Amino acid sequence: MAEAQPSRKVGGHTYGRRNLQLSNTAEPGTLCLYAGHGIGRFSDSSMRFDSHQACVRCVAAAREGRMSFDIDRLLKRERKRALKFWSKVDIGSPDECWEWQGYKAKGTGMPQFPWRRPGISNSTQHHPQRVAMWFTWGDLGYTGVKSTCGNKYCCNPFHLIPQKIGVFVDSESYLESFELACQLHTLKQQVAEYAVEQAMKEQEKLIDQQAFDERADLLFAPSTDFADRLGAVMSDLLDGRHTSQSEADDVTRSKKPTDNDEKPTEDY
């Protein structure tokens, strides 16, 4: 049998190659999402199939039917992103559809999750089903994924099957797996804690903004006494909230690269 070769076509969307057969050759690529999948202990790259940029070790695990909800298996820098993703999914029982609650493109209604993955895809938006595959089946690059339920908003990994890599799927064993049940229970707890943490941060922002608005009204109101205005300025300086101090911080921040992944676009 002839070896499957990667597409040599220049341009176009990378996911256009998802229907091709996985090649038999691999090359160093972007570091895998999962800890311990680097070429070496301190390597910043992983071996990936050159046709789909799928991690070789993740493909081997998927072919054996290994699926996991354990976020601790991910790199530390990716665990928060995983919690952010799952917080936008209505996680239910294994036999139910887990509806996507996040961003949907205007007009088409296509679900999208913002994520820049240099070396994997040139797209800044990914379908939640593919992201769910990455966080459960493995970092399979731009391998195609299909849902057994036919629901494009379903992110239940039990309903998702990676394509063209020969994944072994035994639905009954997954539903009866005690290990997966424990991992799913832990994931729900972690997502709940993450949601509470984010809600507290948003509340703190609202309180800070309200205090800032009240202080601005006090400082710029013509009827404010000089003593009150001076006291407000001195307290702001002592607390590090004065305008001059915030501008200094902004200059420092402007020198650092920023990531605008939080601004989804309509292009998928």
Side-chain angles (χ1 to χ4, degrees):
M1 180 180 294
E3 176 185 344
Q5 296 293 335
S7 174
R8 303 301 179 185
K9 182 180 178 180
V10 179
H13 204 288
T14 53
Y15 290 130
R17 285 183 266 170
R18 64 185 180 273
N19 295 322
L20 298 179
Q21 293 294 332
L22 192 71
S23 66
N24 297 328
T25 55
E27 60 185 7
T30 305
L31 184 64
C32 180
L33 299 175
Y34 291 82
H37 285 197
I39 296 178
R41 183 176 181 182
F42 302 105
S43 176
D44 59 352
S45 59
S46 299
M47 292 301 297
R48 293 181 177 272
F49 288 103
D50 50 14
S51 60
H52 292 70
Q53 289 302 306
C55 173
V56 171
R57 296 190 182 185
C58 288
V59 169
R63 284 174 172 171
E64 295 178 359
R66 283 184 278 170
M67 181 176 62
S68 174
F69 293 97
D70 188 6
I71 290 182
D72 294 334
R73 295 177 62 241
L74 299 171
L75 298 174
K76 289 184 178 180
R77 68 188 185 193
E78 301 295 345
R79 294 173 187 175
K80 186 175 181 180
R81 191 191 306 272
L83 290 174
K84 176 183 176 182
F85 170 76
W86 290 118
S87 67
K88 300 180 182 298
V89 177
D90 184 14
I91 303 177
S93 60
D95 58 344
E96 296 177 340
C97 285
W98 299 0
E99 293 289 334
W100 172 250
Q101 305 294 326
Y103 179 81
K104 298 175 184 177
K106 297 179 181 178
T108 61
M110 182 66 69
Q112 297 178 357
F113 181 75
W115 190 356
R116 295 182 182 273
R117 297 208 63 189
I120 301 298
S121 171
N122 56 10
S123 176
T124 60
Q125 309 294 322
H126 303 281
H127 198 289
Q129 290 181 344
R130 179 168 285 107
V131 180
M133 175 186 69
W134 288 339
F135 285 143
T136 52
W137 284 104
D139 190 357
L140 303 180
Y142 42 86
T143 300
V145 56
K146 290 186 178 181
S147 61
T148 57
C149 59
N151 182 0
K152 70 177 181 179
Y153 299 115
C154 177
C155 298
N156 184 351
F158 295 106
H159 293 180
L160 304 178
I161 301 178
Q163 302 295 298
K164 304 298 182 180
I165 62 173
V167 176
F168 174 79
V169 178
D170 186 356
S171 301
E172 292 184 2
S173 64
Y174 294 150
L175 296 177
E176 297 174 357
S177 173
F178 179 74
E179 181 181 2
L180 285 178
C182 292
Q183 292 178 0
L184 182 57
H185 179 72
T186 302
L187 176 62
K188 291 180 179 179
Q189 289 183 327
Q190 292 174 322
V191 171
E193 293 174 356
Y194 173 80
V196 171
E197 179 183 351
Q198 294 301 115
M200 292 179 63
K201 289 182 179 179
E202 291 296 327
Q203 186 65 23
E204 291 177 357
K205 290 181 180 179
L206 291 176
I207 294 175
D208 293 342
Q209 184 63 36
Q210 183 178 2
F212 178 82
D213 293 339
E214 293 177 354
R215 185 57 56 89
D217 294 339
L218 175 66
L219 291 175
F220 296 105
S223 60
T224 303
D225 295 336
F226 177 78
D228 295 337
R229 188 172 300 173
L230 177 62
V233 172
M234 294 303 296
S235 62
D236 286 346
L237 288 172
L238 293 174
D239 294 337
R241 299 180 303 180
H242 193 262
T243 306
S244 61
Q245 295 169 316
S246 62
E247 288 178 353
D249 294 338
D250 291 340
V251 172
T252 304
R253 296 193 194 99
S254 64
K255 296 180 181 180
K256 299 180 180 179
T258 57
D259 190 357
N260 59 350
D261 285 356
E262 302 299 327
K263 300 178 181 178
T265 63
E266 298 181 7
D267 297 331
Y268 175 66

